[in-house]
Amino acid sequence: MVLLASVFPGPVQAAEEPAIDLASLLERADEIEIELRSRAEYEAALESYRELLADIAALDRSDLGRADEIDLGLLESHLELQAYEIETLRLHELVPVTYFALGTTDSLFVRPCAQPDSVVAEAVEELERLPEILTNARENLTRPARTWTENAIYQAFYAELLLDEMLPTACVDDPELEARLLEVGSSALEAVRSFAAWLQSDLLPRSDRSPAWKPEEIEFYQFVHERLDDYGVDEMLAIAERDETETLAAMEALADRIHPSGDLETVWELMKEEAPPWDEVPAMAARYVELADDWLRGPGAHLLTIPEAFDYGVVLTSPMGRRTLSFGGAEYGPTLAGRISGYYVLTPLEERLTDDERASRLKAYNPYWTHVISYHEWVGHNVQRAIAEQYADRPMRRRFRSSYLSQAWSFYLEKLLEDEGYFEDVLPHMEALKTRMARLQMRMWRIQRILTKLRMAKGEMTFDQAVRAYVDKIGMEPTNAFIEVQRDSQSPSPPGREIIGERVILEMRDEYARRFGEHYRIGDFHTALLRYGELPLPVVRDLMFGD
């Protein structure tokens, strides 16, 4: 692949002698497990994190090579965050939805029949643990926010769907393993139903915590885990407020070109009314995936090289992702015969929804939102992961998960493709204008993510006012707006992943172009950005330029 071969390697790519203690430190970190979520496990894990951090602090770093120094810093950030979540935030006492530990079982249905029996065996072990995990949850959970407990009650529905309806359809080669899967699945289902009843009868009445986090809690993630020291709560708010004014002006100007009234709400409603019936949505989404793929292999080939050993497409969201991804998202599939997979997933409209809820949720699948979200998800998240899988080979860099890089990259792509002429190349004029409007709505969505969460943190906005902001500022349907605020409120993770992350990427791109001069190619920059894995953006910059 010419694009990948020409990426500037930077000084940190040179081979170095391994640091004497780094491998053992990583092994010790990997051995810290909270398998059954018991109080004793959390206490033991916290003690192990403290000991490991103390040992790291005592290291003589003068002998570390540059690459090992970076990886040790990543490990230290990771451990500090894990300890903070247990000791200070006490998330295990506050967020009940996290106890539905069914990730491996759920993965069997992202790409049905692709997983080998070894993964099915892991699902069996996961299901064996679940009843005890849910028992421990009852001991741990104290007084969450009411909306968090309500979310867990709703998620229990999807856990039941997974275990009751989908598990019997799993592909298993070994008959004995299949029988065991169904046996432990039945016990897990009983535990889920009992836990859901407990959530309703016991935890919900005492769930009276505020759904807002303190500014300093959000900044801990921003400064320690993401290394974005220049973007505290007040700076993020200031940036988002300026962006809100600029984006609103751009939307209003575009509305004049789309409809004679020039009224934003009128335009938004007309766009939403173009949503097709649900049974036509997957084909529409697949068409948009293919449009972007064809364009990126043709006129847009200078932007990005899509890895060849990569299977992608459109599938329905697996059960445990449906509450989080209320109108779709990205899910990574299994690697099969050396080919990784990733999908733009669509969340179906379940029968449990009322007619009004179904009609409201369907509007989010209008052609224009679906188009922008489609390439955000599969080109953004899934291609990012595919490139990282190819190149990120150091153990710590494969383990680390920045909340910024993947979201920032996917959001950056939304405007990049528009700026590069994608809409005009593949769409009729009016459809291109409406898709531009959808892209601006996606931007305003991320602006409101900052403004609502941080104003809630400062006591300047209520939960209900945050929901209303999504409806009024974006045209988001109330059902989806509620889920958006509910989901984002469950974690103190900083809300600037897209707006602030895009800003940092653009600064890095400008620096890359300046350093390369006449040799600058934007596709090379994109591969350099993604090749290190999901690391904090300042760390990626250091690796890219070797400063």
Side-chain angles (χ1 to χ4, degrees), residues 7 33 44 94 135 146 182 196-197 245 266 276 318 369 404 424 432 434 461 493 514 518 541:
V7 170
E33 294 185 346
L94 298 175
T135 296
R146 184 176 182 86
L182 297 179
T245 300
T266 298
S318 53
W369 279 39
Y404 262 74
E424 284 69 24
K434 291 179 180 178
M461 179 176 277
S493 179
R514 176 179 59 80
E518 65 181 89
R541 185 206 165 275

Side-chain angles (χ1 to χ4, degrees), residues 36-268:
L36 298 174
R37 316 286 182 88
S38 68
R39 288 181 182 175
E41 284 180 322
Y42 281 109
E43 291 169 1
L46 178 58
E47 185 61 29
S48 295
Y49 290 137
R50 287 171 175 161
E51 291 177 358
L52 198 44
L53 284 166
D55 289 347
I56 290 173
L59 282 175
D60 179 3
R61 303 191 184 206
S62 61
D63 291 333
L64 285 177
R66 177 63 172 152
D68 285 337
E69 181 183 5
I70 288 172
D71 288 2
L72 184 62
L74 291 171
L75 176 60
E76 193 169 24
S77 296
H78 169 73
L79 295 172
E80 288 177 354
L81 183 64
Q82 297 303 307
Y84 184 73
E85 289 181 340
I86 296 173
E87 184 174 29
T88 303
L89 299 179
R90 304 194 70 79
L91 293 184
H92 57 289
E93 297 178 356
L94 298 175
V95 190
V97 75
T98 60
Y99 285 94
F100 290 110
L102 289 165
T104 302
T105 306
D106 194 57
S107 74
L108 300 177
F109 303 98
V110 175
R111 185 176 179 177
C113 298
Q115 297 281 28
D117 275 5
S118 60
V119 176
V120 177
E122 291 174 10
V124 167
E125 294 175 358
E126 178 178 77
L127 294 170
E128 288 172 336
R129 293 191 296 267
L130 187 64
E132 189 169 353
I133 289 173
L134 297 181
T135 296
N136 289 330
R138 301 183 198 211
E139 295 295 319
N140 295 338
L141 291 164
T142 54
R143 306 178 82 91
R146 184 176 182 86
T147 190
W148 302 348
T149 302
E150 290 172 339
N151 185 52
I153 292 169
Y154 207 110
Q155 186 73 342
F157 162 77
Y158 291 114
E160 289 191 41
L161 175 67
L162 173 66
L163 298 172
D164 190 30
E165 297 184 21
M166 299 196 69
L167 198 64
T169 70
C171 294
V172 189
D173 294 329
D174 183 345
E176 292 185 6
L177 181 61
E178 181 178 21
R180 181 61 181 157
L181 177 70
L182 297 179
E183 179 185 359
V184 296
S186 178
S187 298
L189 176 61
E190 182 179 345
V192 165
R193 287 172 172 163
S194 175
F195 184 61
W198 177 83
L199 289 170
Q200 185 74 51
S201 65
D202 190 295
L203 190 62
L204 187 62
R206 56 184 163 96
S207 296
D208 57 4
R209 183 199 189 277
S210 166
W213 299 93
K214 298 175 183 177
E216 60 267 26
E217 293 168 339
I218 295 170
E219 287 180 338
F220 187 93
Y221 282 73
Q222 186 86 331
F223 299 158
V224 174
H225 197 250
E226 301 299 338
R227 316 278 185 91
L228 292 168
D229 298 343
D230 295 333
Y231 296 101
V233 164
D234 290 337
E235 180 62 17
M236 282 194 284
L237 277 169
I239 290 169
E241 287 165 357
R242 292 193 297 269
D243 206 332
E244 181 183 44
T245 300
E246 295 169 2
T247 302
L248 177 60
M251 288 196 293
E252 289 173 338
L254 191 55
D256 285 333
R257 301 174 63 190
I258 293 174
H259 193 268
S261 70
D263 180 68
L264 264 181
E265 290 189 13
T266 298
V267 171
W268 291 341

Side-chain angles (χ1 to χ4, degrees), residues 39 71 77 85 97 181-182 195 197 236 262 273-274 278 291 302 323 336 450 474 488:
R39 288 181 182 175
D71 288 2
S77 296
E85 289 181 340
V97 75
L181 177 70
L182 297 179
F195 184 61
M236 282 194 284
E273 291 301 324
E274 293 186 54
W278 165 251
L291 273 179
H302 63 290
R323 182 64 176 172
L336 188 64
I450 294 175
I474 308 164
D488 207 35

Side-chain angles (χ1 to χ4, degrees), residues 240-417:
E241 287 165 357
R242 292 193 297 269
D243 206 332
E244 181 183 44
T245 300
E246 295 169 2
T247 302
L248 177 60
M251 288 196 293
E252 289 173 338
L254 191 55
D256 285 333
R257 301 174 63 190
I258 293 174
H259 193 268
S261 70
D263 180 68
L264 264 181
E265 290 189 13
T266 298
V267 171
W268 291 341
E269 288 304 314
L270 289 172
M271 288 167 59
K272 288 190 285 188
E273 291 301 324
E274 293 186 54
W278 165 251
D279 59 3
E280 297 178 14
V281 169
M284 175 184 69
R287 171 178 172 264
Y288 291 139
V289 167
E290 291 302 323
L291 273 179
D293 180 72
D294 289 345
W295 187 82
L296 285 168
R297 296 179 191 277
H302 63 290
L303 298 176
L304 183 71
T305 295
I306 299 172
E308 291 301 323
F310 177 41
D311 297 325
Y312 61 89
V314 176
V315 300
L316 296 184
T317 313
S318 53
M320 298 310 291
R322 292 182 184 180
R323 182 64 176 172
T324 302
L325 306 174
S326 60
F327 44 79
E331 286 195 25
Y332 301 149
T335 298
L336 188 64
R339 298 184 63 85
I340 65 172
S341 59
Y343 300 94
Y344 171 32
V345 297
L346 304 173
T347 298
L349 309 178
E350 275 95 4
E351 293 299 323
R352 70 173 291 169
L353 298 175
T354 67
D355 289 345
D356 287 345
E357 288 173 330
R358 288 174 63 85
S360 175
R361 294 274 285 272
L362 183 62
K363 289 180 180 180
Y365 287 119
N366 69 76
Y368 314 107
W369 279 39
T370 301
H371 195 166
V372 177
I373 293 172
S374 71
Y375 68 79
H376 170 106
E377 302 297 352
W378 87 264
V379 181
H381 295 302
N382 288 310
V383 171
Q384 174 265 319
R385 180 221 180 190
I387 292 174
E389 285 286 326
Q390 283 185 308
Y391 292 98
D393 56 358
R394 291 180 66 91
M396 189 61 224
R397 297 176 198 175
R398 295 182 73 88
R399 289 173 173 83
F400 198 93
R401 289 291 179 268
S402 162
S403 67
Y404 262 74
L405 188 135
S406 184
Q407 290 293 345
W409 158 253
S410 300
F411 178 69
Y412 160 84
L413 277 179
E414 292 179 15
K415 187 172 187 299
L416 176 72
L417 264 63

Side-chain angles (χ1 to χ4, degrees), residues 424-442:
E424 284 69 24
D425 285 348
V426 303
L427 299 173
H429 177 67
M430 185 53 67
E431 187 175 350
L433 291 181
K434 291 179 180 178
T435 307
R436 283 178 179 270
M437 177 64 78
R439 205 275 303 166
L440 288 170
Q441 287 176 287
M442 299 293 110

